[in-house]
Amino acid sequence: MNMEFDHIVVGGGAAGAIAARRLAELTSGWVALLEAGPDAVAREEVRDFRRFKEVKESGLARLLPILQPPVGNGRFLYPVARMLGGSTSQNTCIWFRPPASDYQDWVDAGAAGWGVDAVRPHFEALEQRINIETVQPEGPAHHALATAAQEMGFPPIDFATGFDAGWGSYRMSKRGVARESTAQVFLSPRSALPDNLAIFTDTPVSSLIFGADRHVTGVMTPRGAFVARREVVLSCGALDTPRILMLSGIGPADELARLGIQPRHALAQVGAHLLDHPAACVNVASRRAVTPDELWNYSGVLFARVENESAAWPDIEIQLGPELFEQQTAPAGFPSAPDGFTAYMTVNRARSEGSVRLRSADPDEAPLIDAAYFTDPDGYDMRVMMEGIRFARRLFGMPALNGWLGDELAPGSRLASDDELASYIRETATTGYHPGGTCRMGAADDPLSVVDPQLRVVGMGGLRLADASIMPTMVSVNMAAACMMIGHRAAELIAREKS
Ligand SMILES: Cc1cc2nc3c(=O)[nH]c(=O)nc-3n(C[C@H](O)[C@H](O)[C@H](O)COP(=O)(O)OP(=O)(O)OC[C@H]3O[C@@H](n4cnc5c(N)ncnc54)[C@H](O)[C@@H]3O)c2cc1C
């Protein structure tokens, strides 16, 4: 088999599947997509988005532990998908375009050319290929929650348009019950793919191969070496892209040397600046039995300013449903009930910065992940979450929910002071499943940058990154669409440079 290609994209997830497909469409060169996991689009638990919880346990995701923080919850695991489509094959298909202010922040952070006018055409192109549906669950409990949100003064909004604070129905990347993963939309059926695109599944890349002058010429896999005549694009996600760089000697030089890895290019910021949307819940028992909606049991999403009324954009996202989310509260000893309501809240622009580091030079060993939630020096993230809990309590007190609500199960109405709420949040906070920022994009001469605005690794040749790792600052909404935009744009940047 000829293992030589013009471009090699590593990782066929949200960004990588699209980058590979678009590169093959936009150029006449040979493109290889190397994916660590299998093609699982035909597996029923993957295809049917309602079975997303099963995917985590199916062997199609690596469940990575996090480091125990000095105080608080170290119990949760990051599920990192290992299959074509990446996390779009295991996620809940929620679809949001980030607001314009997010992209302005990227530009301000040095990502020249990534403003909203530049990224908009990519979202438009994606939405022409991916089927997006609005979901409105039916039933009295859903109706009561939607009315309560409006009684709080949050008008219904359409997330398909530019939006700000308000309550709206979920938009989801799906067709009926079938998820529209990037594997499904961009890599299936194989017979319809461009002839110049070759897909290698079950092909984990362990490291990069170098030529002269810090130039990457290929990648190493268990099948052998793959040679890239032009470029390698790493799209392995915010946890694995920095891992592969570090295993290849690109990263914090002292740390690599300590692990016995020959440092090739010192880039201290590789693996630093891990961002996420930390999540916590308010759970309340229901006095009435709730019949779950068979398709999707969350009533809708609310965006609000709770910490600062003049913030540029809402600071919290609250997903509301007549279903208890107890993954973290149950193990922490909080009570349950047969039926209940959850306000699942995430800090939109969380400022805490964690890290991903290598445990050893063994490519099969899980990395050290320090989520570092609520460690930002100013305490902003904690303030947003505490005010979010108070907001959710007010919302649950609205007249529309009279007759529905029983006891508050978590945090429990006896916890009211800042200290009590902070301690509850630390004990039960979990990942919003949105790691990003570990190889941030910025000006080439900024010591904080790992990639420049063309997504080229600073100081290297033949190597770009395209996935959630490049985000200079957190996007304010669920991240899949933004990651797909990055993959789409990466292909165009590369193709444009070639011509
Ligand atoms: C449980 C869960 C639910 C979520 N729900 C939503 C949601 O509803 N809406 C939303 O907007 N976002 C959601 N997200 C987040 C969103 O799916 C991710 O932010 C997005 O998929 C990240 O895209 P990516 O391209 O950076 O990485 P990924 O999509 O994770 O893709 C990385 C790919 O690289 C491959 N890979 C890794 N290492 C190697 C290697 N060494 N060699 C070869 N291949 C490799 C992986 O197998 C994977 O296919 C969710 C995430 C999770 C985990």
Side-chain angles (χ1 to χ4, degrees):
M1 195 192 308
N2 183 359
M3 299 292 207
E4 204 172 313
F5 297 85
D6 292 293
H7 288 97
I8 296 176
V9 178
V10 182
I18 296 177
R21 171 76 192 253
R22 284 296 287 156
L23 257 178
E25 286 171 351
L26 293 171
T27 70
S28 54
W30 290 97
V31 179
L33 173 61
L34 311 187
E35 164 55 45
D39 182 349
V41 284
R43 279 178 63 163
E44 200 47 38
E45 74 273 33
V46 172
R47 195 188 75 86
D48 184 339
F49 84 97
R50 297 170 302 176
R51 297 177 63 182
F52 66 93
K53 288 180 191 155
E54 291 170 52
V55 179
K56 256 196 272 180
E57 316 300 334
S58 65
L60 292 168
R62 259 183 115 185
L63 300 177
L64 299 181
I66 59 143
L67 290 171
Q68 173 65 48
V71 187
N73 186 10
R75 288 182 301 270
F76 66 86
L77 302 165
Y78 266 114
V80 177
R82 277 282 181 282
M83 65 189 127
L84 281 184
S87 279
T88 71
S89 294
Q90 69 162 342
N91 73 13
T92 42
C93 301
I94 298 165
W95 183 267
F96 280 115
R97 285 194 204 185
S101 51
D102 283 356
Y103 293 104
Q104 188 52 49
D105 285 352
W106 286 21
V107 172
D108 294 345
W114 285 78
V116 70
D117 291 338
V119 302
R120 187 184 298 113
H122 297 287
F123 284 111
E124 286 167 356
L126 290 170
E127 288 177 7
Q128 274 169 18
R129 286 172 93 150
I130 301 169
N131 193 56
I132 313 290
E133 295 175 346
T134 300
V135 180
Q136 179 67 74
E138 297 293 337
H142 292 291
H143 181 72
L145 281 172
T147 310
Q150 287 162 48
E151 286 172 347
M152 278 284 278
F154 287 82
I157 49 178
D158 180 357
F159 294 134
T161 60
F163 64 96
D164 196 276
W167 160 267
S169 298
Y170 284 88
R171 298 179 79 221
M172 298 173 94
S173 46
K174 68 179 192 64
R175 208 175 274 280
V177 299
R179 69 169 65 247
E180 290 266 283
S181 68
T182 57
Q184 177 65 42
V185 177
F186 291 90
L187 303 177
S188 318
R190 293 291 172 93
S191 56
L193 298 186
D195 292 340
N196 57 338
L197 173 60
I199 300 175
F200 298 84
T201 50
D202 301 299
T203 308
V205 165
S206 52
S207 61
L208 301 167
I209 300 171
F210 298 87
D213 296 336
R214 292 183 181 162
H215 196 94
V216 171
T217 55
V219 296
M220 189 50 80
T221 80
R223 292 179 196 266
F226 282 71
V227 173
R229 285 188 286 260
R230 302 187 74 97
E231 272 187 322
V232 170
V233 182
L234 286 185
S235 298
C236 297
L239 302 177
D240 280 308
T241 284
R243 207 170 64 82
I244 295 173
L245 290 175
M246 290 188 277
L247 285 167
S248 310
I250 302 171
D254 292 352
E255 211 173 306
L256 297 182
R258 194 168 46 75
L259 295 172
I261 298 170
Q262 183 199 346
R264 287 186 176 270
H265 181 42
L267 269 181
Q269 291 295 312
V270 171
H273 188 249
L274 170 63
L275 307 171
D276 198 349
H277 289 137
C281 295
V282 174
N283 292 341
V284 184
S286 173
R287 288 197 202 152
R288 292 163 62 176
V290 171
T291 312
D293 187 280
E294 275 182 22
L295 187 71
W296 178 246
N297 204 32
Y298 273 73
S299 315
V301 191
L302 196 153
F303 287 89
R305 289 176 179 79
V306 293
E307 195 264 347
N308 176 1
E309 279 188 8
S310 50
W313 209 72
D315 44 32
I316 201 157
E317 177 181 327
I318 307 182
Q319 304 191 47
L320 284 166
E323 180 170 299
L324 290 170
F325 185 96
E326 299 177 304
Q327 282 169 348
Q328 303 304 322
T329 55
F334 288 87
S336 185
D339 291 287
F341 294 84
T342 287
Y344 170 92
M345 300 173 293
T346 44
V347 180
N348 292 340
R349 292 297 299 272
R351 297 175 186 171
S352 302
E353 296 185 13
S355 63
V356 187
R357 299 272 167 248
L358 293 182
R359 202 179 287 268
S360 76
D362 177 354
D364 294 327
E365 198 164 11
L368 296 166
I369 303 171
D370 181 3
Y373 297 147
F374 308 108
T375 57
D376 59 307
D378 182 41
Y380 167 84
D381 295 356
M382 183 56 87
R383 283 201 305 283
V384 173
M385 198 59 103
M386 286 193 301
E387 293 312 319
I389 289 179
R390 293 182 173 122
F391 178 96
R393 284 174 166 171
R394 291 198 296 281
L395 188 138
F396 282 135
M398 286 293 119
L401 289 162
N402 278 349
W404 280 99
L405 297 184
D407 291 340
E408 185 180 297
L409 304 167
S413 46
R414 69 188 188 291
L415 303 188
S417 70
D418 280 6
D419 283 352
E420 287 168 335
L421 293 184
S423 145
Y424 165 75
I425 290 165
R426 286 190 198 288
E427 193 47 44
T428 60
T430 185
T431 172
Y433 300 119
H434 299 158
T438 48
C439 297
R440 68 183 124 173
M441 164 169 60
D445 58 357
D446 181 344
L448 295 178
S449 306
V450 173
V451 294
D452 69 13
Q454 305 298 307
L455 302 179
R456 296 173 296 218
V457 173
V458 173
M460 302 285 308
L463 181 61
R464 291 191 209 231
L465 311 183
D467 57 27
S469 72
I470 63 110
M471 294 187 180
T473 55
M474 198 57 181
V475 291
S476 305
V477 292
N478 310 52
M479 276 172 39
C483 295
M484 294 185 207
M485 177 279 290
I486 291 167
H488 200 266
R489 186 142 204 259
E492 292 199 6
L493 290 173
I494 295 167
R496 207 183 302 152
E497 210 168 87
K498 255 194 82 197
S499 55

